[in-house]
Amino acid sequence: MDLCPAESTDLSGAEEAEIETIRKHKQELLDDIKRLKEEIAEVFAEIECFQHAEERQETEDNPGEQTRQLSQRDKILSLGRKKFNMDPEKGIQYLIEHQVLSSDLQEIARFLHKGEGLNKTAIGDYLGGRDPTNIQILQAFVACHQFANLNLVQALRQFLWSFRLPGEAQKIDRMMEAFANWYCKCNPGVFQSTDTCYVLSFSIIMLNTSLHNPNVKDKPHFERFVSINRGIDNGGDLPEELLKNLFESIKNEPFSIPEDDGNDLTHTFFNPNREGWLLKLGGRVKTWKRRWFILTDNCLYYFEYTTDKEPLGIIPLENLSVRKVNDPKKPNCFELFNPNCKGQKIKACKTDGDGKVVEGKHQSYKISAATPAERDEWIEAIRTSITQDPFYDLVSARKKKIASKN
């Protein structure tokens, strides 16, 4: 991550030299943090190993060589899980190199499906990868689920509990495509095509959000659910009774979203969608202040310094939109705003001068980037992260595909 914007024309030579020194120190700190994280993971693994060894000692009369071998394997497995939760690719590689896992894609998929000790967010990120190997593992992972004779809501409940759906549109598309293909293979004849299953699955997920998100005031009725799904079955309509059963199931019981344990606290800020320096307009007297922004988990965090552990503010992106805006004092601006509730404060929080967490008072957030290209990259990254946008865009594209066939 860069310590300053790409263009620093306002800085003197001495200031540039100071920034370069800070950059080197920052890299040294990051290296230290990485080393400490690995050491912490090893300590956790050793603790778990001792716990497992004590449990076995109580139940086994003669703990011999086999027990010691199992103990070593448990230690490697535990460390591998910790590594996976911080970096899924490196975690899998570590387990294969130490022969706890083989390189067989089916075995890796079963390991992820079992999910013991694994971070659900990390599982979702790994399965959504575009590498051909990741895609094959995703297909094998989906095939671990038993969808035969389940209606679509029941299958989605099982599927969405086994990982956390990532925020990136392309990853969501690959995962839901694999889900639709496997569901239709397990339940032939329910839908005329996998495209129908794909679109209806997204409609159900969005229905779940609309019905059970307290921020959504206009709760959809069954007639609206029927309307948005017209013509998705190869140009025809799905049976109303089928849609009614799905609607009532979601209305009566929302999806259960898996929550990760506390072992992934560093995962949030060490795996951002985007990060960098930006200028934010704010304060009692509106002024532009330089802040370090991190975009991750459908939230925009901003800090005073890159080394700060706690953010100055948090802006949840759900139900927000982003657009380019012009400002007479600053170039390359964009704005976060709520398109459905004009004049109302955005639900966000920040720390005040006394260090207390208070509710933000912004009706919109105006932010300035260093260059037009940087502004456009931030806008695209934020649009991808906004919860609703990927779903609507993916459904719209698939509906166009269905319509073009007929």
Side-chain angles (χ1 to χ4, degrees):
M1 47 188 180
D2 295 332
L3 243 152
C4 59
E7 296 183 0
S8 304
T9 55
D10 296 336
L11 300 178
S12 67
E15 288 172 328
E16 289 280 7
E18 185 179 355
I19 286 178
E20 181 60 30
T21 301
I22 294 172
R23 184 182 288 112
K24 290 179 180 178
H25 288 166
K26 191 205 79 170
Q27 187 57 51
E28 291 173 0
L29 283 171
L30 289 175
D31 292 340
D32 287 342
I33 290 170
K34 182 179 178 182
R35 177 179 55 78
L36 286 171
K37 285 169 63 180
E38 292 177 351
E39 290 178 1
I40 290 169
E42 290 177 1
V43 170
F44 276 126
E46 289 178 3
I47 291 172
E48 292 183 15
C49 175
F50 290 144
Q51 290 174 338
H52 291 317
E54 288 176 359
E55 291 172 1
R56 281 194 299 273
Q57 195 166 5
E58 292 175 359
T59 56
E60 295 179 8
D61 295 328
N62 185 27
E65 182 62 26
Q66 183 179 6
T67 301
R68 286 192 290 273
Q69 290 176 355
L70 286 173
S71 177
Q72 179 65 18
R73 184 183 185 279
D74 287 345
K75 180 179 179 180
I76 294 171
L77 177 59
S78 181
L79 181 55
R81 287 168 176 158
K82 300 291 183 184
K83 287 180 178 290
F84 178 89
N85 292 342
M86 289 185 283
D87 188 322
E89 297 284 352
K90 290 183 179 178
I92 294 295
Q93 182 182 355
Y94 174 85
L95 291 171
I96 291 173
E97 288 175 352
H98 288 78
Q99 300 180 346
V100 174
L101 277 179
S102 74
S103 57
D104 179 68
L105 303 185
Q106 299 284 340
E107 182 181 339
I108 296 172
R110 289 192 295 270
F111 171 74
L112 297 176
H113 181 252
K114 186 177 181 182
E116 186 177 339
L118 301 181
N119 178 288
K120 299 280 189 177
T121 302
I123 294 174
D125 286 340
Y126 182 77
L127 292 173
R130 63 181 179 180
D131 186 88
T133 299
N134 292 71
I135 293 173
Q136 291 179 56
I137 293 172
L138 168 62
Q139 293 168 346
F141 175 86
V142 175
C144 291
H145 296 78
Q146 303 299 320
F147 292 154
N149 301 315
L150 298 182
N151 69 33
L152 193 55
V153 168
Q154 292 171 328
L156 281 169
R157 290 191 195 281
Q158 183 186 137
F159 183 58
L160 296 176
W161 180 252
S162 59
F163 64 97
R164 290 200 71 168
L165 203 62
E168 186 180 331
Q170 292 180 338
K171 289 186 176 182
I172 296 172
D173 177 59
R174 285 189 285 270
M175 300 178 86
M176 296 308 295
E177 183 78 54
F179 167 82
N181 286 331
W182 182 243
Y183 181 84
C184 289
K185 188 172 182 179
C186 292
N187 298 277
V190 174
F191 303 115
Q192 292 192 40
S193 73
T194 57
D195 288 334
T196 305
C197 182
Y198 177 99
V199 172
L200 186 57
S201 296
F202 273 113
S203 294
I204 291 169
I205 293 172
M206 290 187 288
L207 174 68
N208 179 78
T209 300
S210 299
L211 287 176
H212 299 289
N213 187 331
N215 295 324
V216 178
K217 306 303 180 186
D218 182 21
K219 302 298 182 184
H221 300 289
F222 172 65
E223 292 73 17
R224 184 171 159 193
F225 182 64
V226 172
S227 177
I228 65 173
N229 288 298
R230 291 198 187 284
I232 67 171
D233 200 25
N234 276 2
D237 294 339
L238 291 165
E240 191 165 307
E241 183 180 357
L242 181 148
L243 294 177
K244 184 69 173 177
N245 289 336
L246 299 178
F247 181 90
E248 290 298 327
S249 178
I250 287 295
K251 182 179 178 181
N252 294 331
E253 182 185 354
F255 285 132
S256 296
I257 305 300
E259 294 192 9
D260 290 314
D261 58 29
N263 292 335
D264 70 326
L265 292 178
T266 58
H267 187 81
T268 298
F269 296 140
F270 276 89
N271 295 273
N273 302 116
R274 187 172 177 82
E275 58 185 347
W277 288 108
L278 295 168
L279 296 175
K280 185 182 78 71
L281 184 63
R284 291 186 181 89
V285 178
K286 296 298 181 184
T287 56
W288 291 94
K289 294 181 180 178
R290 190 166 178 260
R291 296 289 183 248
W292 179 258
F293 280 81
I294 290 181
L295 174 64
T296 185
D297 289 343
N298 295 320
C299 286
L300 193 60
Y301 301 82
Y302 57 92
F303 303 76
E304 187 171 5
Y305 304 107
T306 58
T307 52
D308 288 350
K309 295 181 179 179
E310 298 293 335
L312 290 175
I314 304 172
I315 309 170
L317 296 175
E318 187 175 6
N319 300 320
L320 298 186
S321 291
V322 61
R323 63 189 173 193
K324 296 179 186 178
V325 292
N326 294 320
D327 186 272
K329 296 182 179 180
K330 290 292 177 184
N332 314 317
C333 288
F334 60 92
E335 182 182 50
L336 291 168
F337 67 101
N338 190 330
N340 302 315
C341 302
K342 293 181 179 179
Q344 293 188 17
K345 290 185 296 186
I346 292 175
K347 292 188 176 180
C349 64
K350 63 177 183 177
T351 53
D352 62 11
D354 298 325
K356 296 179 180 178
V357 178
V358 297
E359 185 179 2
K361 298 180 179 179
H362 288 264
Q363 294 180 7
S364 65
Y365 286 87
K366 188 178 286 187
I367 298 170
S368 172
T371 66
E374 197 172 309
R375 174 201 59 200
D376 294 343
E377 289 169 0
W378 271 102
I379 289 175
E380 180 60 30
I382 290 170
R383 281 180 176 159
T384 300
S385 284
I386 291 174
T387 303
Q388 294 181 343
D389 279 2
F391 285 21
Y392 285 112
D393 291 344
L394 291 169
V395 170
S396 176
R398 193 56 61 100
K399 283 185 175 180
K400 288 179 182 178
K401 177 183 175 183
I402 293 172
S404 68
K405 290 181 180 178
N406 299 284

